[in-house]
Amino acid sequence: MTETVSAPNQSALYVVATPIGNLGDMVPRAIETLQTVDVIAAEDTRHSARLLSHFGIQTPLLAYHDHSDGRQVQALVARLLSGESVALISDAGTPLVSDPGYRLVRRAREAGVRVVPVPGACALVAALSASGLPSDRFSFEGFLPPKSGQRQNRLQTLVAETRTLIFYEAPHRIEECLADMALAFGAEREAVLARELTKTFETIVGGSLQSLCEFVAADPNQRRGEMVLMVRGREADAGEGLDEDARRIMTILLAELSVKQASQLAAEITGVRKKLLYQWALEQQP
């Protein structure tokens, strides 16, 4: 059975995505929701007030962030249980993605309050879509620890990860972060830096971690703004990265084709990297 989506004037907690830079990315449903709910819970009311003013939204604002005490969460849930509708927004992008809201959403659901997502901009998805890195499997790691020792320890736990890794990073730490990544993953590991997405000075640049270190060090402008840093996962060993279907297809193709031809065709069929297929085929030879 298909559920009907609550109208913004019905009692519910609406998790509303807002633009990450370009105000043209504000979706109509988000505007309608923010106009019609009883109250908007915002990470920073001064920051959000400018957004609401731009769209002529006059709904009352109150501050909510992850450092709010339990009493504020309870007060918001009480308003929801009394029949009011509440919209949750962050400073930019989709709430709860390295932003406040987890405790409020969880408590609302436990109380039987309906939680309705109003999707829109999300920096990690926007960055990944334009990165050229594998996007079928990825791991979002959020912000790394600010201190180098703790950051290096966290990175060491990710060295064997084969999925694309996605991080948020503050501009004043980007040089140190890239240097620590080069140490942990190897200077030649492929990475992409996406900076100021959807804004005037949007920059998306890829290369080795070493080349990104040099790029950022040479241009002070690359140490400003909001940043998403993506690192290609570890290259899987031949066989380790091949599922049963890929191995079966390669076995069939190798009966009729050369290793090079079979690897090329299998890569087109399965989406597995040709290099990985080629290496597996070589290892099967007597």
Side-chain angles (χ1 to χ4, degrees):
M1 180 181 296
T2 301
E3 290 189 50
T4 57
V5 177
S6 299
N9 59 355
Q10 294 178 323
S11 178
L13 174 62
Y14 296 88
V15 183
V16 182
T18 56
I20 57 176
N22 191 322
L23 293 177
D25 293 335
M26 186 77 161
V27 300
R29 185 177 168 217
I31 297 173
E32 178 191 8
T33 300
L34 296 180
Q35 287 174 331
T36 52
V37 293
D38 294 297
V39 67
I40 298 170
E43 182 179 1
D44 183 330
T45 55
R46 291 174 298 180
H47 178 91
S48 295
R50 295 192 290 272
L51 174 73
L52 301 187
S53 176
H54 178 84
F55 290 103
I57 298 169
Q58 299 180 347
T59 305
L61 269 173
L62 59 83
Y64 173 81
H65 47 78
D66 273 349
H67 300 296
S68 301
D69 60 30
R71 290 174 297 178
Q72 187 174 15
V73 174
Q74 287 297 107
L76 283 169
V77 172
R79 295 181 72 154
L80 288 160
L81 291 174
S82 72
E84 291 190 12
S85 55
V86 177
L88 174 67
I89 62 175
S90 63
D91 282 350
T94 301
L96 279 73
V97 181
S98 278
D99 276 318
Y102 157 75
R103 290 188 301 139
L104 175 58
V105 169
R106 184 175 183 85
R107 183 67 189 91
R109 291 182 60 85
E110 290 173 346
V113 173
R114 185 167 187 180
V115 179
V116 180
V118 181
C122 180
L124 80 91
V125 174
L128 182 61
S129 71
S131 69
L133 295 175
S135 57
D136 53 336
R137 297 175 66 247
F138 61 89
S139 175
F140 175 59
E141 299 296 326
F143 284 94
L144 289 165
K147 294 184 178 180
S148 182
Q150 295 174 337
R151 184 167 56 243
Q152 291 176 18
N153 289 339
R154 176 76 63 80
L155 290 171
Q156 284 300 319
T157 69
L158 300 171
V159 167
E161 178 59 67
T162 57
R163 295 173 293 179
T164 296
L165 297 166
I166 306 177
F167 306 88
Y168 288 166
E169 190 51 274
H172 63 279
R173 290 197 298 265
I174 188 62
E175 284 189 281
E176 294 179 1
C177 180
L178 284 167
D180 286 341
M181 285 182 173
L183 285 174
F185 301 135
E188 296 307 311
R189 179 78 70 90
E190 184 182 4
V192 176
L193 174 64
R195 187 182 68 85
E196 292 290 83
L197 288 171
T198 79
K199 300 175 184 177
T200 302
F201 298 106
E202 175 181 277
T203 304
I204 302 174
V205 60
S208 67
L209 282 167
Q210 181 60 41
S211 69
L212 286 183
C213 287
E214 295 168 358
F215 173 73
V216 170
D219 184 358
N221 289 322
Q222 304 308 320
R223 302 192 291 274
R224 299 174 182 173
E226 304 293 329
M227 299 185 176
V228 183
L229 186 56
M230 296 157 286
V231 180
R232 185 164 194 146
R234 179 182 65 84
E235 187 79 26
D237 294 332
E240 176 187 347
L242 297 188
D243 59 23
E244 184 177 346
D245 282 344
R247 296 181 192 188
R248 180 178 59 82
I249 290 169
M250 278 296 292
T251 300
I252 294 171
L253 293 175
L254 285 169
E256 302 293 336
L257 303 172
S258 68
V259 170
K260 181 178 180 181
Q261 291 171 323
S263 301
Q264 178 65 48
L265 186 54
E268 295 174 5
I269 295 172
T270 65
V272 177
R273 294 185 69 193
K274 178 183 175 181
K275 180 180 178 181
L276 199 60
L277 294 161
Y278 187 90
Q279 185 61 37
W280 180 85
L282 291 180
E283 292 178 359
Q284 307 314 303
Q285 296 179 347

